[in-house]
Structure formats: structure tokens, C-alpha cells
Amino acid sequence: DTEVTQTPKHLVMGMTNKKSLKCEQHMGHRAMYWYKQKAKKPPELMFVYSYEKLSINESVPSRFSPECPNSSLLNLHLHALQPEDSALYLCASSQPRDRGPSWRNTEAFFGQGTRLTVV
Amino acid sequence: AQSVTQLDSHVSVSEGTPVLLRCNYSSSYSPSLFWYVQHPNKGLQLLLKYTSAATLVKGINGFEAEFKKSETSFHLTKPSAHMSDAAEYFCVVSERMTTDSWGKLQFGAGTQVVVTP
């Protein structure tokens, strides 16, 4: 199973709402990611979790709050979003190799994304 | 520091003709390189990867890419385009990781492929 599952597929929310995006993988990967993708642009990294701990936060506004409850699940909690936050939100996972001179990132597997519209 | 440049933002080909998508990278170390495809409103699917083994890499759906260190290139090719190949393609680089770069993939700007009948 090389699948990363994201729910919901579509989400419309008001600027005062609180919602959550969910991501699940059962490949045993210990790195999970949130990306934001605007139309006609490449994905932009938001957060990286490594072994269930937040390892990278790319200066994302606090209205986005990630959570990694266990090694298979990744959530993104949304609160007080702005219309410019409307985008495709992608979750991904990968299996990091052991640290060493040739330590590299392996390929990332992406979910189908959640299309978020903030009104 | 790593970076990746996709030399064409838009490529149009006729069905049945070859496809060439060009990618150049810059990396301080021997990188890992990937090509991903994204169909409209879908996630990214891995086409192929280079991780310092064979320089000619075969992927899914008839795609292949050749790693040329001297040219710092990783161009994607397919001998015969199919209508289903119409999509956005991203060249991605990942180099040896440090604490600051752990988990980071560097994406190219993307190449939009249009296939005409």
C-alpha cells in the first residue's frame, strides 16, 4: 500500500470557522509533511514532522496548527483563515534513511490533497 | 544550497511524438532527483527517481530520465506521447540533509504539457 489518504477532498470555510484537515498513511513512514499549493505553482513546504516531532516550520502563520498524534496520522488545524489561504493542501510522507555521510531524503508519497476555499 | 530549474514552462506535443522536459539542478552535494506528475486537481505522483545508482532511470508510463553530472541535468523523456500525459510535471531535488535542510525537497517551477490529437 503506497497510499496517502487525505480528508476531506473539498472544504469551504468562513473566516471565523475552525476546521481540520486529516492525513493518514500506513507505509510505516516516519516523516510526514504539509504542503500548500496555489494554482499554477509548485507546492510550498509548510511543516515537517520527523518521528512524530515537529522538525521544520517554514514560518507558517499561527492560524495553521499541525499535529501528529501518531506515526500514521497528521492533522492540520485551521482557525481564522484568510481568503488568500485558499489553496490545495497536500500531505506527503517519506521514509528517512539513517543519518550518515550519504544521508538523503527518499521519495515522498503525496495524497490527493484537500481543496480549501476560505470565504 | 540546492536549486532546480525547469527550462520550459509549457510544452506542446502531438500525440505519438516524443516528449522532452528539461531540468537543470544546482547542488553542493551529489543529489537525489525526482520527477513528479500532477494531473488537474490531483496530488503528485512519482514518475521516477535517481539516487546515485544507474544514470539512466526508467519510470512509470514509459518515461525515463538521464542523470548527467557534467551538465547538471536530469531531463525527462518519453518516446511517444499519449493524451493522458497532459499534466503538470515537476523536477525535484533533494541533497544530503543537514539539520536545517532535513526533509526539504526543492521543486522546480513546473512544466505544463499539452498533448494535441
Side-chain angles (χ1 to χ4, degrees):
Chain A
D1 181 9
T2 57
E3 195 170 291
V4 176
T5 303
Q6 289 187 243
T7 55
K9 287 186 169 47
H10 301 274
L11 178 63
V12 179
M13 59 184 292
M15 288 188 283
T16 59
N17 291 159
K18 286 185 180 181
K19 296 287 184 183
S20 296
L21 309 185
K22 297 185 183 301
C23 174
E24 188 170 7
Q25 58 90 11
H26 295 288
M27 295 177 277
H29 290 171
R30 303 306 297 277
M32 295 187 75
Y33 314 79
W34 280 115
Y35 284 86
K36 173 183 177 180
Q37 186 180 27
K38 302 286 272 186
K40 307 293 184 186
K41 296 290 187 182
E44 298 174 18
L45 183 65
M46 299 175 72
F47 302 103
V48 180
Y49 271 84
S50 165
Y51 297 90
E52 296 85 67
K53 293 191 187 305
L54 183 65
S55 60
I56 294 177
N57 176 342
E58 291 286 86
S59 302
V60 178
S62 59
R63 57 185 184 269
F64 295 92
S65 175
E67 178 196 20
C68 189
N70 59 55
S71 60
S72 299
L73 294 175
L74 185 66
N75 298 321
L76 186 63
H77 303 298
L78 313 173
H79 173 56
L81 294 193
Q82 303 297 310
E84 59 265 29
D85 296 322
S86 299
L88 182 66
Y89 287 83
L90 294 164
C91 174
S93 71
S94 69
Q95 182 56 26
R97 302 288 188 205
D98 292 335
R99 294 175 185 265
S102 61
W103 189 32
R104 299 167 186 277
N105 202 10
T106 60
E107 66 270 31
F109 292 85
F110 286 81
Q112 293 296 291
T114 294
R115 174 67 62 186
L116 174 67
T117 304
V118 181
V119 298
Chain B
Q2 59 189 7
S3 67
V4 59
T5 302
Q6 291 183 241
L7 298 170
D8 307 289
S9 60
H10 188 271
V11 168
S12 183
V13 298
S14 298
E15 189 177 20
T17 64
V19 182
L20 169 64
L21 305 184
R22 298 181 294 166
C23 173
N24 286 106
Y25 70 92
S26 171
S27 175
S28 302
Y29 303 97
S30 183
S32 295
L33 293 156
F34 312 93
W35 275 99
Y36 285 86
V37 62
Q38 186 177 32
H39 288 90
N41 295 310
K42 299 292 186 182
L44 279 75
Q45 181 183 21
L46 180 69
L47 281 177
L48 48 78
K49 63 181 179 180
Y50 167 77
T51 54
S52 77
T55 56
L56 183 61
V57 181
K58 293 189 183 298
I60 62 172
N61 301 337
F63 285 95
E64 64 180 37
E66 186 171 9
F67 173 74
K68 291 187 177 180
K69 186 175 181 178
S70 60
E71 299 177 10
T72 60
S73 68
F74 190 56
H75 301 335
L76 181 71
T77 60
K78 182 173 180 177
S80 177
H82 190 272
M83 296 298 292
S84 61
D85 294 328
E88 187 84 17
Y89 291 78
F90 293 101
C91 183
V92 180
V93 63
S94 173
E95 64 179 21
R96 185 172 69 90
M97 292 186 287
T98 65
T99 303
D100 292 334
S101 69
W102 198 98
K104 289 189 178 181
L105 300 174
Q106 187 68 44
F107 282 80
T111 299
Q112 180 71 44
V113 172
V114 174
V115 182
T116 56

